[in-house]
Amino acid sequence: MSNVLVIGSGTMGAGIAQVIAMHNHEVTLFDQSALQLEKGRNIIEKQLAGLVNKEKISQLEMEASLDRIQMISTWPEVPFDIMIEAVPERKDIKQSVFKEMDKRSSETTILASNTSSISISEISSFVEKREQVIGLHFFNPPTIMKLVEVIRSPRTNEGILVRSKEFIQSIDKVPIEVNEAPGFVVNRILVPMINEAVFLVDEGVASIEEIDQSMKLGANHPIGPLALADLIGLDICLHVMEVLYEEFCDSKYRPAPLLRKMVRSGYLGRKTNKGFHTYS
């Protein structure tokens, strides 16, 4: 994949672009917001500088990675080998983005979404080249997390699937092939666990600190479920639970009322400096 487009320069988009550039691919990072694009640039430069300080890469490697990243705020006209959408988890935004991707793609372009929960079949319905749509779900932070879920819809072309997995391996990530299902694999298991931890808080079964400590010491988790919810973003956790509840119509996926209350209050976790824990 000599030519990659990443759409969206938030935390995930910037991190994905950085990983791609560090593994010798040319990558264009696109965002219609010049301000957000500048924030994305700062994220990448700060991350790379931190790697230099830790002596994990050299100054020359940092500069070479930055040279492989082009940043633009208008839709490019040239076709890309792969386009990766990393915009907010809203269907209306993704629909608009995928229509633009479809218009600017060739018959061999991989049209990928970094969605954490939205149906790949539904996303593919936004475009004409439905067989070229696939999910590439990176995990936060993408510069560190090794796993990428490669989600195929019933219409995804086999060649697109194979090339997508080869691309993920080329950036030193581990692809797992997933047949489309609500929540895919990781979030199907992980987010209901987080939701149950929120129920425990709301019912006064144990304190926030004790619930996190219980899972760290009792289940050998590196981080407690409530601290993890703060890291993921409580709004994202709520969205995933709503998707699971809507798709399965099963009460076991009912979002905890406290989770809804915190999201409505603007307490979203680390990105707002307050969730179940408080951050400076």
Side-chain angles (χ1 to χ4, degrees), residues 89-144:
E89 196 78 343
R90 281 177 43 189
K91 291 180 184 179
D92 58 334
I93 298 177
K94 291 186 186 293
Q95 181 174 19
S96 175
V97 166
F98 263 85
K99 285 183 176 179
E100 294 292 339
M101 291 165 64
D102 193 32
K103 287 192 295 186
R104 290 167 168 77
S105 61
S106 72
E107 296 302 318
T108 60
T109 303
I110 296 170
L111 303 175
S113 175
N114 183 52
T115 181
S116 59
S117 59
I118 297 174
S119 161
I120 300 302
S121 292
E122 183 171 8
I123 290 174
S124 73
S125 71
F126 304 151
V127 304
E128 293 183 7
K129 304 183 184 76
R130 299 181 70 170
E131 292 77 13
Q132 294 172 222
V133 176
I134 198 163
L136 294 181
H137 180 210
F138 290 77
F139 290 83
N140 189 25
T143 51
I144 295 174

Side-chain angles (χ1 to χ4, degrees), residues 25-41:
H25 297 282
E26 297 293 327
V27 58
T28 299
L29 183 59
F30 164 67
D31 200 304
Q32 289 181 315
S33 167
L35 177 60
Q36 184 58 55
L37 201 61
E38 186 61 29
K39 290 181 180 179
R41 183 192 303 275

